[in-house]
Amino acid sequence: MNLITPNHDAFLKKIDNYMFIILLLMVACFFTWSENINITRAIKVVGRMGLMLSSIGIYYKIIRYGAANTMGYKNIFSPLFYLVYMGLGFISFTWSTNPGFSSLQWFMTFQSLVFAYFFIKSIKLLDSFFEGHNIRLYHLLGNSVFVLQLIFVLGMWIDPDTFFRLTNGGEEARLGGVMMNPNELGMLAGVGVACLIFDLYRKQNKAWTVIKILVIFYALFMTGSRSSLIGVLLIIFFHINQTKKQGLKLAIMGCVLLVIPFAINQIILKGGDKERMEEILTLTGRLPFWQALITEGLPREPLLGFGYMRIDYKEFFQSVHTYPGKMTHNTFMQVLMNLGFIGLCVAIFQMFFTFHAFFSESKETRLMLIGIVIPVFINSFTEFGIFGESNYGILFYQMIIFSVSFKNTTHLTSVQKLHLKKRRPELSV
């Protein structure tokens, strides 16, 4: 007796759209869209809470339609050490030099953690129960980045006063404005390029994908972010090394070689200005600041730090020879000052187990994760990073953690079998 297999395309299309919308809005909630502090807090706290609940809703919508929670865990030390890090951050409220600020930062990071958990678990659930579906993390994330970067590219022409940020005494205009740190916006561009490259592999019609990548490249150039440019170049050369098509490899290398001299001169060397060259050698004043943190700040609280997202007893750390800073501009230095040597050890072990887990994934997943982690990891050396104050780099890293932590198991409870027999009779054959 033949059983006609139902067509799930309409459902999958709806889920694809839902996941794209909530991911786009979740990343957008990290931007400062209004100068009104109350509106900004509502977006960043209340908005993210709604999107976190939406990710949970999508997960259970998939189950109700015709799936079962058969997800087990693998590479357990990666999420386990991250939970230890979060637990230590929570306990640090008791000794934090500003418990209110620490708790707010911790809560926002926890929100993105829950979002990432259910978002990635939904994709893994689709992999298990809807074989051949086309919903991919790199496609969702790449398109989300494209939309946000397009808003800034259009905004810089429509309202340059809002979308540009003047730096170096007003001599340099960088894309980002008050809404987003240009280096963070550049990192987002790098993640977008890393994700959309996979659409070039997958899709027959590549023209629209190429246009998206070019828009993102243009936005990256206008941010003037050196670290993000380095990250994107590494991503491109990484993918060049992976492809076996010699013609495509030579074409990409030729384009990159044509662009590199101009990009390095304008973004990294800033036109060859000698004063800007001195700025590069000190990483825009970061090196003296880090030295002062280690020699003056760390000895005060070496083991457990000043509390989650705190780097001094006061609101700002300032040495005699450095600028005042509320954050360290280095995620590893940040966790060292926040949670001391104990916290740094937890973070190092967590990263080790996460990166080691890449090798147990399929080739497509492994390449995607490496592509995403390159710009995020580079950004971690000069900005907020994966263990810094709440930012979308943390969200991307949490997604990476859960992408290597779930596995499907064949065990079904009696209730799950009855549910699937009713909703998906074709699976019982």
Side-chain angles (χ1 to χ4, degrees):
M1 182 176 179
N2 293 326
L3 185 65
I4 298 174
T5 302
N7 190 317
H8 305 293
D9 290 348
F11 170 75
L12 292 172
K13 181 65 176 176
K14 186 183 295 184
I15 291 296
D16 191 14
N17 290 334
Y18 285 164
M19 296 186 77
F20 167 69
I21 290 170
I22 68 167
L23 181 58
L24 170 64
L25 293 177
M26 187 65 173
V27 178
C29 279
F30 287 93
F31 288 74
T32 305
W33 296 106
S34 173
E35 294 183 12
N36 187 309
I37 191 170
N38 292 321
I39 295 176
T40 298
R41 285 176 178 172
I43 292 173
K44 292 193 173 186
V45 179
V46 180
R48 283 186 230 173
M49 176 62 74
L51 293 165
M52 182 193 78
L53 295 175
S54 297
S55 71
I56 299 173
I58 287 176
Y59 172 74
Y60 283 105
K61 185 178 182 68
I62 296 171
I63 288 182
R64 285 194 302 271
Y65 180 85
N69 182 14
T70 58
M71 290 294 107
Y73 296 95
K74 62 179 182 178
N75 301 314
I76 192 65
F77 287 113
S78 175
L80 181 61
F81 270 94
Y82 196 84
L83 291 176
V84 171
Y85 161 75
M86 291 295 291
L88 184 60
F90 183 81
I91 297 171
S92 76
F93 299 167
T94 58
W95 67 78
S96 172
T97 56
N98 187 337
F101 181 78
S102 293
S103 59
L104 177 63
Q105 286 290 322
W106 188 92
F107 178 69
M108 290 192 291
T109 300
F110 181 75
Q111 278 181 324
S112 64
L113 181 68
V114 175
F115 177 91
Y117 176 86
F118 282 99
F119 194 88
I120 298 300
K121 198 172 186 181
S122 295
I123 294 177
K124 297 295 184 180
L125 202 63
L126 292 170
D127 291 341
S128 299
F129 289 92
F130 297 90
E131 187 176 353
H133 74 90
N134 291 319
I135 300 175
R136 297 288 185 270
L137 176 60
Y138 56 75
H139 185 69
L140 295 168
L141 188 51
N143 283 332
S144 298
V145 172
F146 166 70
V147 171
L148 291 169
Q149 298 286 356
L150 182 62
I151 291 173
F152 276 79
V153 169
L154 295 176
M156 63 181 273
W157 293 104
I158 298 170
D159 186 7
D161 291 338
T162 300
F163 285 87
F164 274 113
R165 175 181 298 192
L166 297 178
T167 60
N168 296 298
E171 295 179 2
E172 182 182 4
R174 301 178 64 185
L175 188 62
V178 298
M179 288 178 282
M180 181 53 62
N181 180 307
N183 291 326
E184 295 292 313
L185 190 63
M187 181 266 284
L188 185 64
V191 171
V193 171
C195 291
L196 289 176
I197 282 176
F198 284 92
D199 278 347
L200 292 177
Y201 294 150
R202 186 178 64 156
K203 294 189 175 183
Q204 294 297 323
N205 186 1
K206 298 176 172 57
W208 179 230
T209 302
V210 170
I211 292 172
K212 292 178 186 177
I213 292 175
L214 289 175
V215 170
I216 294 175
F217 260 115
Y218 181 62
L220 170 62
F221 176 75
M222 297 309 296
T223 64
S225 175
R226 302 181 183 102
S227 58
S228 300
L229 173 64
I230 293 170
V232 168
L233 291 176
L234 287 175
I235 291 167
I236 292 172
F237 281 117
F238 173 74
H239 280 281
I240 289 174
N241 190 51
Q242 298 300 317
T243 183
K244 295 180 181 179
K245 299 178 180 178
Q246 293 299 321
L248 178 62
K249 182 181 292 189
L250 291 173
I252 296 175
M253 287 185 68
C255 292
V256 171
L257 290 174
L258 287 173
V259 172
I260 281 180
F262 176 75
I264 290 179
N265 184 63
Q266 294 299 316
I267 296 180
I268 296 181
L269 302 181
K270 303 294 182 181
D273 189 332
K274 292 183 179 179
E275 293 183 1
R276 307 305 295 278
M277 288 295 293
E278 295 176 4
E279 195 178 273
I280 294 172
L281 295 176
T282 62
L283 294 180
T284 324
R286 288 178 175 85
L287 289 178
F289 188 68
W290 295 340
Q291 183 179 8
L293 282 170
I294 293 174
T295 58
E296 300 176 31
L298 183 61
R300 300 171 193 165
E301 300 289 346
L303 289 180
L304 292 170
F306 296 94
Y308 192 75
M309 294 306 128
R310 302 291 295 166
I311 66 172
D312 201 358
Y313 298 121
K314 305 181 293 295
E315 287 300 309
F316 293 85
F317 172 86
Q318 183 174 13
S319 175
V320 177
H321 303 292
T322 66
Y323 56 81
K326 195 174 183 179
M327 50 87 73
T328 63
H329 291 278
N330 181 305
T331 205
F332 311 107
M333 189 71 70
Q334 185 80 8
V335 75
L336 178 62
M337 303 304 295
N338 296 170
L339 302 174
F341 283 109
I342 293 176
L344 181 62
C345 288
V346 171
I348 290 173
F349 276 109
Q350 196 286 320
M351 288 187 295
F352 169 78
F353 287 114
T354 299
F355 297 154
H356 184 267
F358 288 1
F359 298 102
S360 65
E361 297 299 312
S362 65
K363 182 178 180 180
E364 182 183 73
T365 301
R366 182 170 64 253
L367 295 179
M368 176 191 69
L369 297 178
I370 293 173
I372 295 174
V373 85
I374 286 173
V376 174
F377 196 68
I378 289 176
N379 174 266
S380 295
F381 285 99
T382 56
E383 292 297 337
F384 300 99
I386 57 180
F387 294 109
E389 293 183 12
S390 181
N391 70 95
Y392 43 61
I394 293 175
L395 172 65
F396 300 152
Y397 187 65
Q398 291 166 340
M399 286 181 164
I400 289 170
I401 292 171
F402 291 123
S403 292
V404 299
S405 299
F406 290 120
K407 67 176 181 180
N408 186 42
T409 63
T410 56
H411 176 72
L412 291 169
T413 66
S414 299
V415 174
Q416 289 172 336
K417 289 177 181 178
L418 289 172
H419 170 71
L420 289 176
K421 187 175 182 180
K422 180 181 178 181
R423 296 288 185 178
R424 302 284 302 284
E426 78 274 13
L427 295 180
S428 301
V429 176

